[in-house]
Amino acid sequence: MDTQALVAMRIQQLCAEHGYNLNQLARSCGVPPSTVKNIIHGASHNPGIVTIKLLCDGLGISLYDFFNTDDFRQHYQAAHMFCRIRLSHLFAYAGRNLLPELQFYPA
């Protein structure tokens, strides 16, 4: 599942928890209903962090609370592993094993 789908799913989950429909959420945070619907239905492929922060404010939660889910953690770990593998291939292709010299944040 990609990040956009995870964001859409999380918004729907939080709306259900708070008893909001999409229009109520949009009104509570000052975001146009079309923006929320575009995020949910995939028309907005890259919802901005400012928009997500406004949605969080309307729900009374922090950005940390929004992204602090098992789904987002698993997605991050998969992306982190993919990047690490791709870097190792790049450095191996360049004829140097530089990966041990690079500092990565723990997954």
Side-chain angles (χ1 to χ4, degrees):
M1 186 176 299
D2 66 1
T3 303
Q4 188 278 330
L6 287 172
V7 168
M9 185 176 71
R10 182 68 172 141
I11 291 170
Q12 290 174 315
Q13 178 186 42
L14 289 166
C15 280
E17 288 176 12
H18 288 82
Y20 287 157
N21 64 36
L22 297 180
N23 285 329
Q24 290 169 322
L25 173 62
R27 276 195 303 272
S28 75
C29 60
V31 172
S34 60
T35 298
V36 177
K37 290 177 183 176
N38 286 339
I39 293 170
I40 298 298
H41 299 295
S44 174
H45 298 288
N46 189 17
I49 195 69
V50 172
T51 301
I52 294 172
K53 173 68 170 115
L54 289 171
L55 295 174
C56 289
D57 290 346
L59 291 163
I61 65 170
S62 67
L63 280 169
Y64 177 83
D65 293 331
F66 185 89
F67 290 106
N68 186 29
T69 67
D70 288 339
D71 290 329
F72 279 111
R73 278 190 291 278
Q74 289 170 1
H75 181 69
Y76 167 78
Q77 288 172 349
H80 178 78
M81 183 56 70
F82 176 77
C83 289
R84 189 173 176 94
I85 290 168
R86 297 293 292 173
L87 281 172
S88 67
H89 289 182
L90 174 68
F91 293 135
Y93 178 76
R96 299 175 64 197
N97 185 6
L98 299 177
L99 199 55
E101 298 173 22
L102 296 176
Q103 297 296 316
F104 290 96
Y105 294 104

